[in-house]
């Protein structure tokens, strides 16, 4: 809770940029209808992280489920900083109709150059949209 309040205050003061995704940890797998556009859910059982789930930021709205299990391939890793901002490694490539390719770094969706379209995320400011399109 303190991280949420601190993050909102730092964004309000313009010390950090507005985030696209905020991470949270829960024990159960979220339903697709329970995921919001600005949430990344880490499914954790005790100390074992299993999945990272969130809505595709590319506009198709599909639920992305990334395996965090060390024994599965492919696998990803997720770190949440003290402000709840997630960083996901490696990049995420959607092979559905969306065909987007992006990174999640400190809560920001960063589009890769090979994404066919740079889509708008509902939490992204106009300044950030212009900077992304200028790349």
């Amino acid at each position: 809770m303190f991280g949420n309040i601190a993050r909102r205050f730092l964004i309000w003061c313009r010390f950090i940029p507005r985030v696209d995704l905020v991470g949270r940890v829960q024990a159960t797998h979220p339903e697709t209808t329970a995921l919001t556009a600005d949430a990344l859910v880490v499914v954790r059982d005790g100390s074992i992280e299993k999945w990272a789930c969130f809505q595709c930021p590319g506009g198709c709205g599909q639920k992305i489920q990334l395996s965090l299990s060390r024994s599965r391939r492919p696998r990803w890793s997720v770190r949440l900083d003290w402000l709840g901002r997630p960083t996901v490694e490696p990049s995420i490539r959607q092979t559905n109709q969306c065909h987007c390719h992006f990174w999640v770094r400190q809560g920001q969706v960063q589009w890769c150059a090979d994404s066919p379209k740079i889509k708008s995320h509902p939490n992204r400011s106009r300044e950030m949209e212009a900077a992304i399109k200028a790349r």
Side-chain angles (χ1 to χ4, degrees):
M1 182 161 131
F2 174 73
N4 284 335
I5 294 168
R7 184 184 64 253
R8 289 175 191 219
F9 177 74
L10 292 171
I11 290 169
W12 182 77
C13 292
R14 299 183 185 207
F15 289 124
I16 63 172
R18 185 181 291 168
V19 296
D20 297 322
L21 295 169
V22 176
R24 72 175 189 265
V25 177
Q26 65 184 46
T28 59
H29 218 283
E31 294 292 327
T32 303
T33 56
L35 284 175
T36 59
D38 64 345
L40 182 142
V41 177
V42 175
V43 179
R44 184 184 295 164
D45 184 15
S47 64
I48 300 171
E49 291 183 341
K50 296 183 174 186
W51 297 96
C53 305
F54 58 102
Q55 282 186 6
C56 178
C60 66
Q62 285 195 340
K63 179 181 177 180
I64 296 177
Q65 302 177 97
L66 304 175
S67 174
L68 305 177
S69 172
R70 296 178 190 260
S71 62
R72 297 183 89 180
R73 299 286 185 265
R75 73 166 181 211
W76 286 261
S77 66
V78 175
R79 290 185 322 274
L80 298 177
D81 67 10
W82 70 279
L83 296 172
R85 300 176 302 175
T87 297
V88 179
E89 292 178 339
S91 66
I92 299 112
R93 181 185 301 270
Q94 280 286 68
T95 57
N96 62 6
Q97 75 273 13
C98 196
H99 294 290
C100 60
H101 186 197
F102 58 94
W103 291 88
V104 176
R105 294 186 176 133
Q106 292 185 322
Q108 302 270 325
V109 174
Q110 298 175 349
W111 298 101
C112 294
D114 62 347
S115 282
K117 293 181 191 175
I118 299 193
K119 309 274 180 156
S120 176
H121 193 278
N123 292 332
R124 185 171 288 143
S125 67
R126 289 185 183 143
E127 297 83 25
M128 291 172 65
E129 273 306 316
I132 289 170
K133 288 179 182 178
R135 287 184 197 166

